């Protein structure tokens, strides 16, 4: 008997409303004169929230533009102003959107103009240069936090160095805003963000169940909440409902695919513009992407409300992208075991060199140590010009054939 289509998660329907309301609040905050601060992934936004700033993430905005397939047009606008084609497409998207102004194709009409900029170079040095250009373009102050690469051992001196910079950031903000940081409020914000991160991690970890109740296509977009809104009760409520919904699927024996034949791991940021095609391709083959270290970037593992500043410094320094190659290899091998992974898709993207530079080495070592086959999928995160459906179709088929051959050899 043919199985009925699996209904979409109600939490995913609610997510669209949450995102729309978030950007509406951003525009309202700008109209009311509330300080607007643009930050990157690793920034200690908890400090900014505790000082009543409205925080916006251009990287998140770029992902939304990619998902709506308008990122390529924004990238072309940036290139027309002299930015190179090989530059991070998240950067090109937001710079291009800003340059276009009212002509932006952004699904949210572009981001409200920043009053301040804060950047942490824990993900890559490109993002620092990106923020330096934004500071020049908008003529607004910029604060840069430098985080030494953590390699594979935890360097406490580097964390202490970063913590001192957080104190400098607080003093800098107090000078610009004309008010002092309320430290008890910072503790509350960190506690809420810590809980949000833990719930986010719990939501996708339910994919360890075989067959998986969801795929990463179901939950990837939900990282918007834990990134942009982890300081809110709304985030806690959203993930609590999402977890309950996924657990109910498990209890009812509902799996993400009618027949799960392959369990896959995805490496690197998602190609937002190609999720529809990729999801259909894999679902048609009974292949489920059930795990990704990209999802774990948003866990905020080191946040600790009992040590707000110390844990914020640790969180910045120990971001996945700021760690060494051995740490990445170890974690992916753990994921292969935890999620019963059959194959690895390594998304080799021009759009995020921080993920990509050591990716082929990681692929080779993980595959050798686990025996799990892996393929390289060329693409991008926002710019569709660097992705070929025909090539992707071929390499995905190759991966599934490799998995079948490995299974046959083990019988």
């Amino acid at each position: 008997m043919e199985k009925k289509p699996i209904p979409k998660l109600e939490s995913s329907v609610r997510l669209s409303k949450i995102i729309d309301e978030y950007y509406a609040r951003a525009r309202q905050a700008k109209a009311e004169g509330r300080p607007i601060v643009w930050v990157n992934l690793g920034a200690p936004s908890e400090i900014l929230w505790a000082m009543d700033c409205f925080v916006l993430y251009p990287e998140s905005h770029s992902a939304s533009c990619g998902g709506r397939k308008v990122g390529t047009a924004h990238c072309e606008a940036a290139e027309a102003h002299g930015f190179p084609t090989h530059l991070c497409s998240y950067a090109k998207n937001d710079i291009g959107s800003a340059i276009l102004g009212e002509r932006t194709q952004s699904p949210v009409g572009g981001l409200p103009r920043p009053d301040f900029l804060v950047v942490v170079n824990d993900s890559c040095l490109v993002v620092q240069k990106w923020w330096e250009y934004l500071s020049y373009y908008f003529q607004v102050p910029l604060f840069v936090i430098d985080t030494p690469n953590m390699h594979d051992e935890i360097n406490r001196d580097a964390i202490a160095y970063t913590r001192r910079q957080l104190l400098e950031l607080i003093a800098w903000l107090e000078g610009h805003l004309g008010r002092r940081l309320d430290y008890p409020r910072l503790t509350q914000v960190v506690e809420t963000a810590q809980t949000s991160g833990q719930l986010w991690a719990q939501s996708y970890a339910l994919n360890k169940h075989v067959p998986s109740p969801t795929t990463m296509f179901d939950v990837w977009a939900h990282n918007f909440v834990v990134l942009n809104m982890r300081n809110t009760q709304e985030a806690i409520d959203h993930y609590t409902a999402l977890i309950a919904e996924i657990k109910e699927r498990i209890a009812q024996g509902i799996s993400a695919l009618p027949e799960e034949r392959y369990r896959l791991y995805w490496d690197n940021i998602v190609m937002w513009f190609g999720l529809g095609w990729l999801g259909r391709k894999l679902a048609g083959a009974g292949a489920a992407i059930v795990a990704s270290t990209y999802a774990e970037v948003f866990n905020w593992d080191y946040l600790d409300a009992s040590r707000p500043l110390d844990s914020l410094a640790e969180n910045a320094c120990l971001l996945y992208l700021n760690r060494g190659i051995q740490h990445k290899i170890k974690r992916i091998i753990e994921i292969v075991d935890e999620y019963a992974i059959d194959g690895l898709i390594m998304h080799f993207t021009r759009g995020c060199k921080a993920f990509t530079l050591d990716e082929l080495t990681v692929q080779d070592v993980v595959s050798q140590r686990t025996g799990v086959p892996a393929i390289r999928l060329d693409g991008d995160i926002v710019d569709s010009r660097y992705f070929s459906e025909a090539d992707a179709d071929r390499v995905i088929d190759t991966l599934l054939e490799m998995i079948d051959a490995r299974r046959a050899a083990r019988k």
Side-chain angles (χ1 to χ4, degrees):
M1 181 183 296
E2 184 178 350
K3 292 189 177 182
K4 295 181 180 179
I6 298 166
K8 189 174 184 178
L9 289 166
E10 292 181 11
S11 298
S12 295
V13 177
R14 183 176 64 250
L15 178 64
S16 297
K17 182 180 178 182
I18 290 173
I19 294 173
D20 289 343
E21 290 178 347
Y22 169 80
Y23 284 115
R25 288 198 297 271
R27 291 189 291 272
Q28 182 64 26
K30 185 65 177 179
E32 294 173 351
R34 186 175 168 190
I36 304 294
V37 187
W38 289 15
V39 305
N40 71 312
L41 169 67
S45 296
E46 287 73 12
I47 293 172
L48 299 166
W49 285 317
M51 297 193 75
D52 200 32
C53 297
F54 199 100
V55 176
L56 288 165
Y57 286 84
E59 293 153 307
S60 183
H61 174 241
S62 285
S64 295
C65 290
R68 296 295 182 91
K69 303 183 188 298
V70 300
T72 299
H74 293 163
C75 290
E76 290 172 339
E79 290 166 11
H81 280 72
F83 289 91
T85 58
H86 60 76
L87 182 65
C88 165
S89 57
Y90 268 6
K92 286 193 298 180
N93 175 85
D94 269 290
I95 291 171
S97 177
I99 289 171
L100 289 170
E102 293 183 356
R103 294 181 292 116
T104 180
Q105 297 184 34
S106 163
V108 297
L111 300 180
R113 189 182 190 278
D115 297 296
F116 306 108
L117 298 163
V118 176
V119 66
V120 184
N121 60 19
D122 53 3
S123 55
C124 67
L125 288 176
V126 172
V127 77
Q128 179 177 328
K129 295 302 179 182
W130 172 7
W131 256 246
E132 288 173 358
Y133 177 78
L134 292 174
S135 178
Y136 163 78
Y137 182 80
F138 289 112
Q139 291 295 290
V140 296
L142 165 67
F143 192 95
V144 178
I145 299 172
D146 175 50
T147 51
N149 189 278
M150 198 56 61
H151 298 290
D152 300 305
E153 300 296 328
I154 294 179
N155 185 334
R156 288 294 164 187
D157 289 336
I159 293 172
Y161 165 68
T162 303
R163 187 185 188 280
R164 290 195 295 272
Q165 293 176 79
L166 297 187
L167 293 173
E168 293 171 3
L169 170 63
I170 292 168
W172 184 83
L173 287 167
E174 289 176 337
H176 280 288
L177 298 174
R179 56 177 177 269
R180 303 297 297 274
L181 171 64
D182 182 341
Y183 278 88
R185 185 179 180 193
L186 174 62
T187 299
Q188 293 172 354
V189 170
V190 171
E191 183 176 16
T192 302
Q194 179 183 355
T195 302
S196 298
Q198 290 168 346
L199 290 170
W200 158 253
Q202 291 173 31
S203 70
Y204 67 75
L206 292 169
N207 282 354
K208 293 177 183 178
H209 188 274
V210 181
S212 179
T214 67
T215 72
M216 295 309 294
F217 295 101
D218 297 309
V219 299
W220 261 324
H222 290 268
N223 70 26
F224 179 94
V225 178
V226 78
L227 178 61
N228 295 271
M229 302 168 57
R230 63 184 180 274
N231 62 313
T232 67
Q233 182 62 41
E234 186 177 6
I236 293 174
D237 294 342
H238 176 73
Y239 289 120
T240 299
L242 176 61
I243 290 168
E245 193 173 1
I246 297 173
K247 285 184 174 180
E248 181 62 23
R249 281 190 172 189
I250 293 174
Q252 293 183 10
I254 298 174
S255 57
L257 302 179
E259 180 184 7
E260 181 183 280
R261 297 182 58 208
Y262 308 97
R263 295 173 62 84
L264 306 178
Y265 162 84
W266 177 276
D267 197 71
N268 208 319
I269 304 176
V270 185
M271 51 178 192
W272 295 107
F273 59 85
L275 287 185
W277 177 86
L278 183 62
R280 291 189 295 272
K281 166 65 180 177
L282 293 174
I289 295 178
V290 298
S292 171
T293 48
Y294 172 61
E296 296 188 351
V297 168
F298 304 96
N299 291 358
W300 318 118
D301 288 315
Y302 301 96
L303 288 184
D304 183 350
S306 69
R307 307 178 302 113
L309 285 179
D310 293 298
S311 68
L312 284 169
E314 291 170 359
N315 203 67
C317 287
L318 298 172
L319 184 77
Y320 180 79
L321 292 176
N322 202 44
R323 303 298 300 274
I325 192 170
Q326 294 302 327
H327 172 82
K328 296 174 183 177
I329 290 169
K330 178 177 179 292
R331 181 58 196 136
I332 297 173
I333 289 174
E334 291 171 348
I335 287 174
V336 167
D337 180 61
E338 292 171 7
Y339 289 82
I341 297 297
D342 299 309
L344 311 170
I345 298 178
M346 313 301 284
H347 183 210
F348 198 84
T349 169
R350 293 166 58 103
C352 186
K353 293 176 178 61
F355 252 117
T356 303
L357 284 175
D358 57 11
E359 195 170 30
L360 293 182
T361 300
V362 172
Q363 171 184 330
D364 289 344
V365 175
V366 171
S367 190
Q368 289 169 8
R369 291 184 184 177
T370 64
V372 171
I375 54 96
R376 163 183 162 174
L377 179 66
D378 290 311
D380 193 75
I381 51 183
V382 168
D383 195 337
S384 61
R385 292 175 295 176
Y386 303 109
F387 174 69
S388 165
E389 289 185 4
D391 288 346
D393 188 78
R394 174 180 54 79
V395 297
I396 290 171
D397 285 346
T398 298
L399 175 63
L400 303 184
E401 291 168 1
M402 292 165 66
I403 295 171
D404 288 340
R406 181 175 184 243
R407 288 172 173 171
R410 296 171 69 181
K411 288 183 178 179

